[in-house]
Amino acid sequence: NITRAVMSCGQFRNSKAASSPAENYHLARRRTLQVAVSALLTECGFESAEKAAVETLTEMMQSYITEIGRCAKAYCEHTARSIPTLPDTVVALIEMGFNVDTLPVYAKRSQRMVITAPPVTNSPVTPKALSAGQKRTHPAHIPSHFPEFPDPHTYIKTPIEPVHNPFLRDVERALTRFMAKTGETQSLFKDDITAFPLIAARPSTIPYLSALLPSELELQTLEETDSSEQDDQTDSENTTGNIINDDPGADKENSMLPPSGGVPSTKASEDNVIDNPYLRPVKKPKVRRKK
Amino acid sequence: MNRKKDKGFESPRPFKLTHQVVCINNINFQRKSVIGYVELTIFPTVVNLNRIKLNSKQCRIYRVRVNELEAPFIYNDPTLEVCHHESKQRNLNYFSSAYTAAVSAVDPDAGHGELVIKVPSELWKQGDDLKVLKVYIEFSLDQPKGGLHFVVPDVEGSMAERGAHVFSFGYQNSTRFWFPCVDSYSELCTWKLEFTVDASMVAVSCGDLVETIYTHDMRKKTFHYVLPIPTAAPNISLAVGPFEILVDPYMHEVTHFCLPQLLPLLKHSMSYLHEIFEFYEEILTCRYPYSCFKTVFVDEAYVQVSSYASMSIFSTNLLHSAMIIDQTPQTRRCLAQALAQQFFGCFISRMSWADEWVLKGISGYIYGLYLKKTFGVNEYRHWIKGELDKIVDYELKMGGVLLHPTFSGGKEKDNPTPHLHFSIKHPHTLSWEYYKMFQCKAHLVMRLIENRISMEFMLQVFNKLLSLASTASSQKYQSHMWSQMLLSTHAFLKSISNVSGKDIGPLIKQWVDQSGVVKFFGSFAFNRKRNVLELEIRQDYTSSGTQKYVGPIKVTVQELDGSFNHTLQIEENSLKHDIPCHSKSRRNKKKKIPLMNGEEVDMDLSAMDADSPLLWIRIDPDMSILRKVEFEQADFMWQYQLRYERDVVAQEEAISALEKFPTPASRLALTDILEQEQCFYKVRMQACFCLARIANAMVSTWQGPPAMKSLFTRMFCCKSCPNIVKTNNFINFQSYFLQKTMPVAMALLRDVQNLCPKDVLNFILDLIKYNDNRKNKFSDNYYRAELIEALTNSLTPAISINNEVRTVDNLNADVRLILEEITRFLNMEKLLPSFRNTITVSCLRAIRQLQKNGHIPSDPSLFKSYAQYGHFVDVRIAALEALVDYTRVERSATELQWLLVMVQNDPAHYVRHKILGMLCKNPPFTKTTDSALCNEALVDQLWKLMNSGTSHDWRLRCDAVNLYYTLFGLTRPSCLPLPELGLVLNLKEKKAVLNPTIKPELGVSTVMDTPASIGIHGVGMSYTFNTMEDEDIDMETVHDSQAFIHHHLNLLERPSTPGKYSLQLWLFSGKEPPSVEQTMLTMPSTPAPSFSKETTSLSSKHSSEHSHHHHHHHHEHKKKKKKHKHKHKHKHKHESKDKEKERERDNSHVYSNSPASGRSLRSPSLSD
């Protein structure tokens, strides 16, 4: 706000909006203000002034400017805007009892002192936020004047190298050992049957079920990866890797088949009565009448 | 050859079957029994049809009625016990001929059958008017051992809750195992099928499901099927179970069935089927012939795929989820095979066994087209090369495979395949391996025909055959119409000639009428002066399994100026061929080199011979000859071929050739191809193994890290931490397959001490340690299994000091690490089982390898527990494989017994078959080695197994025959006691067996006549005996026993001569008293043991005193039910001519006195 106020006074055009000015930058500005106060005193005919008096006047000047800025901002926000305009400042000055009409004359007075521009200090470079990955450009449907996308890591999963869980294997081993200890085991050695305990093989009544159906863990993984971006990420890799040095004849061969049209799900739902004999209801037996 | 020129089909039966009803009204899962009836509608084609022969095995028949009249019948199955149980014969020649005879005696293709029904005399007259006869047979099956398989899991709950199911199965025509029928592929009829099953079950069968009706108590329902398309009985099938039903979302006529809980897998696995349908219908320009199609997935399947009319039965293990990569192409292949057989095999059936090759060939061929379309040309050519290599290896090892055997009218003397230990006259006598190779060859020959006449014509021929059949199928029964649905070799060839106008006679003669493959040896020299390539192509056509090739051959020469095809003529005596070269001048440095496909590439030509413009040469690049080529060219030529030839077959050939050239240049060529992403992944996989072998051969000069390690690191490991593998992502399948293969190949590397390098082992252990599949959308079970295999490959024999006992303490540190991993994997599998238990399978193999290499004590008990029924079938097979290996290495009689008991008792037919197959592949001993295991008891046990123990399963019986052959050879096993007599004449087999311990010097060359054979067959035979080393040679496969059975069965045609039946069983149903026919049971007074009637020993002095030998046999079959009385009676009927052969003698008697071994001489005069 302070800077805005200063800006609105037209004194420090170069100052850049910075939300948190560094300490020395703040001091430099204060020094410049002091110079301005001293110049005004000189203009009024003072030859010297006590430091404390100058300091007090500077403080008053700063408060005054600050008040103009605050007030102008208030007017601006009152009209649902975010950046104060000249009329805002004018209204603020008027409100503070200042005769605005005298300002141009005052500004053009002949005896005014020109203050040299404050030494240009390099405006502090705010360290850029660590950017990860490339920002996405706007898709076609978003007008270009809209804000840029933030860094991708802020809204998608960050690609990271796998963090291997060193305890997983220990857990597995401990678990299987526990299972082995609590149940029947088989051993590969005769001298030390506890050396490499194997959980005993137990026949199952329907062995194909466990062998064919994915385990719950796998199903879980499947769900996770399905929703994840794995395909996205790797698609580009693939297109290069997938080239096979097939004969041109292959294409001709393949073109024999028209692309299979029709999406089954919609088709099925459209004619929702599928006529398949196995879906028909079982008939009641015919009642035979005895003659 | 004398192929039947007659195009019409002649039925071997005196009647024509037009319609059959099969009604199974009770299926009891608890007792595993089935009750039902069949009704056959037949038209007699002769006047006075008085006997009807049908096929039936193991069915108990309660009553037979013909047109409502009770009819007496004989049930006689000579294949139950092939050789009489008291026979002491133990040689395979004898068995094979007797077995062939037994199969022939009931062969439906010859009009025979096990069940002979006497048409009641009241109906004889009807025959004059050729009126229809209805044959009604009530039957039941109790705990069938073949034909139908019951799977009844032993858990709580109702049968449906337990997932109990039953399905039909069999090898070739095996329908007679579950209902009486004419079990021939050439007897077509329409069908009505009815199955009454529990209300919670579904019965899936052939044809259209017309309706399903509850029984009156509402606890059961009856499925009514109608099959209006004429179909052969062997193409009828049934599956009953609590199946989950999935109507195909793309094709509502197609219904899929799977066992409870598997529906999600079924949905995923079948989501692809419609594309196969579309493909076949498109290329054949013909609709799928049946109005519906059903797929049923069952447990404990006999084979992975079996096709029947309008349905196919698959193994449930083909089902998979979307996470499984490796199973997906395999399942799709199985579906495509099944569907191809629907067109050719089910809809179009074969006219005779000799025509089988056409159907197998066509279905294999269109399946190949599908593979090409789906998996690409590279995969297709890779597959063709694989098939060609397979058939070539088999034929060179085992002797030729004959596609179209001709048996000239009963004269079995000219056996077309004397090199085989079985007869190829019937499908049921073939070894399974031979049959698989037969199918493989049939397809390859079909491909050769395509090469000759073009694919377009080929497809036109198929279309023509299908439209003919389809027209015929829609007709009502007319005498010759339906035979259009039967395909014969003759009709096929005729159609080809009509459509293409080309004569493929020589091709057919070479590959179909003749067995054997061609073996080429090629070498070349470049004549600089003439600028000519001098190519020499030699042939080996004298070794077993080979044949001579005369005709064109294509040679492709890649020169600096381009690639050129040359067609050379292989002629009788010309070996050398001059091929003019195009590139005259020395290479132009900047010029690119044009390849066959038009591509132009830069090559580094510095490796070339400066004087020659030849880059590489290929003989028969299109694989248009069934051949093996051994071609010699310089290593740099193979390297150029590998790098620049674009055909995957050429690349694979180059890789195998480079194994012989372990040089840095080969290494570079292989590494380059391995890294090249455009290269076909299977070629790259093959390059891995070649690279490992080359690295081992170069071990002393090898520079840099172990082969493939840096490449693997670059492709699959983290950039920041190269010893840690990236989290798994298998979305690129080619990379996935490479990632799986490379560690396996790397583990084969050996250092100078012949040990697996330490860093390779650590590398693999790290791969296991850091394996992370959490983010992968695919399962890593196959990958982990391969990593275990890699660990297994890294094993080398333990250094053993004084045969110390293997204990935990003296375990090698590396092996300890490996064992840790295997233990963890095997235990984790119990908690989180992997798909098809691939991890357990790999672990079991690893443990066996650890045992074999002496790291851990050799012990079969672990494998025995995993081999038990109740484990997943893949696990069982892996455990059994380990046991078979254990049996051989440790020569363990106990384990051999254990295995053989399982062969006899295991519920899963596939497992039984596999055990015998694995025992043949990895036999505990062979006919040429001595072993303590080889003893009389084992001989008797195996003999019994093939003689009677496997009568319910043709395939298993042939497996047993194979094992017997592997262990003992064709002759009497050497472990049997030597005969006391100096010479035994076995005229049954027309050979004299000499006891070598008595007169070893008799084996000098002699030419002798066998009067005996003259007497019997009127054919003089001479035989030269060369050396003592000669194996016991069979002069002629004898089919006398066949003649014997024929003879006796033919007697049935003459009811006036009772009492002439070798085996007979008259059954009369109910309380009806046996009628007149009972007199037929009169015992002949002078019976002799079966199949030995014509066994004569003419001049043997030892036997002359036993001029008449009478055996009286009365053998009770082991059938449980008292109702069945099997009476075996034997009666010799001599023709008056044969009177001089009075001194007929029981063969077994000879052996009981003098079991013989060793040399065989043909002349009885030797005994003088």
Side-chain angles (χ1 to χ4, degrees), chain B residues 365-382:
Chain B
Y365 172 79
I366 58 173
Y367 162 66
L369 293 182
Y370 158 79
L371 285 189
K372 197 196 280 181
K373 184 245 160 191
T374 315
F375 298 105
V377 173
N378 286 336
E379 177 71 41
Y380 175 74
R381 288 188 63 86
H382 168 81

Side-chain angles (χ1 to χ4, degrees), chain B residues 352-413:
Chain B
S352 74
W353 165 235
D355 306 315
E356 168 82 348
W357 78 272
V358 182
L359 289 169
K360 288 292 172 208
I362 298 177
S363 60
Y365 172 79
I366 58 173
Y367 162 66
L369 293 182
Y370 158 79
L371 285 189
K372 197 196 280 181
K373 184 245 160 191
T374 315
F375 298 105
V377 173
N378 286 336
E379 177 71 41
Y380 175 74
R381 288 188 63 86
H382 168 81
W383 176 64
I384 293 289
K385 178 181 189 289
E387 295 288 289
L388 183 60
D389 289 349
K390 258 200 285 186
I391 187 71
V392 165
D393 289 348
Y394 180 83
E395 294 205 40
L396 292 180
K397 187 167 144 248
M398 307 295 289
V401 170
L402 183 58
L403 291 184
H404 184 65
T406 43
F407 299 93
S408 33
K411 281 184 192 165
E412 288 83 7
K413 252 189 294 293

Side-chain angles (χ1 to χ4, degrees), chain A residues 28-233:
Chain A
R29 216 168 41 195
R30 176 87 179 188
R31 239 186 337 266
T32 312
L33 209 56
Q34 219 163 28
V35 171
V37 168
S38 306
L40 285 174
L41 288 176
T42 314
E43 203 181 304
C44 295
F46 289 95
E47 286 183 349
S48 67
E50 275 179 39
K51 194 172 169 106
V54 175
E55 200 64 35
T56 308
L57 285 171
T58 309
E59 188 63 38
M60 286 170 67
M61 172 84 113
Q62 183 170 325
S63 299
Y64 189 76
I65 294 173
T66 308
E67 182 56 22
I68 296 169
R70 192 200 59 76
C71 199
K73 173 106 171 119
Y75 279 111
C76 142
E77 287 178 352
H78 185 69
T79 47
R81 280 175 289 109
S82 61
I83 297 172
T85 56
L86 187 64
D88 292 328
T89 320
V90 169
V91 173
L93 287 170
I94 292 168
E95 179 70 14
M96 288 168 75
F98 184 78
N99 187 354
V100 186
D101 295 337
T102 60
L103 197 57
V105 181
Y106 179 72
K108 287 172 187 162
R109 69 194 184 277
S110 54
Q111 71 276 35
R112 72 190 156 98
M113 286 183 73
V114 177
I115 305 165
T116 50
V120 179
T121 51
N122 283 333
S123 61
V125 181
T126 34
K128 240 188 169 180
L130 188 68
S131 77
Q134 291 202 316
K135 279 187 185 173
R136 273 179 72 174
T137 51
H138 284 168
H141 60 274
I142 300 183
S144 56
H145 61 270
F146 272 62
E148 280 182 357
F149 276 105
D151 281 348
H153 74 272
T154 58
Y155 64 96
I156 62 169
K157 245 187 243 173
T158 314
I160 44 160
E161 291 292 308
V163 181
H164 185 259
N165 181 355
F167 302 112
L168 182 67
R169 284 158 50 83
D170 295 343
V171 169
E172 280 183 10
R173 191 172 293 127
L175 178 64
T176 53
R177 293 239 161 162
F178 171 74
M179 298 290 292
K181 276 203 178 132
T182 49
E184 208 183 316
T185 57
Q186 286 163 319
S187 176
L188 299 169
F189 291 91
K190 289 182 183 103
D191 57 328
D192 182 0
I193 53 163
T194 57
F196 293 94
L198 297 173
I199 302 172
R202 203 166 288 127
S204 119
T205 41
I206 307 183
Y208 60 84
L209 283 183
S210 68
L212 297 179
L213 288 170
S215 66
E216 269 179 40
L217 189 77
E218 283 178 309
L219 280 178
Q220 211 182 325
T221 319
L222 191 65
E223 270 167 32
E224 279 171 20
T225 51
D226 262 359
S227 53
S228 86
E229 74 293 346
Q230 193 174 36
D231 303 58
D232 271 12
Q233 274 184 13

Side-chain angles (χ1 to χ4, degrees), chain B residues 263-274:
Chain B
L263 192 61
L265 304 187
L266 185 74
K267 272 184 186 156
H268 176 74
S269 310
M270 292 299 108
S271 60
Y272 181 75
L273 185 72
H274 64 283

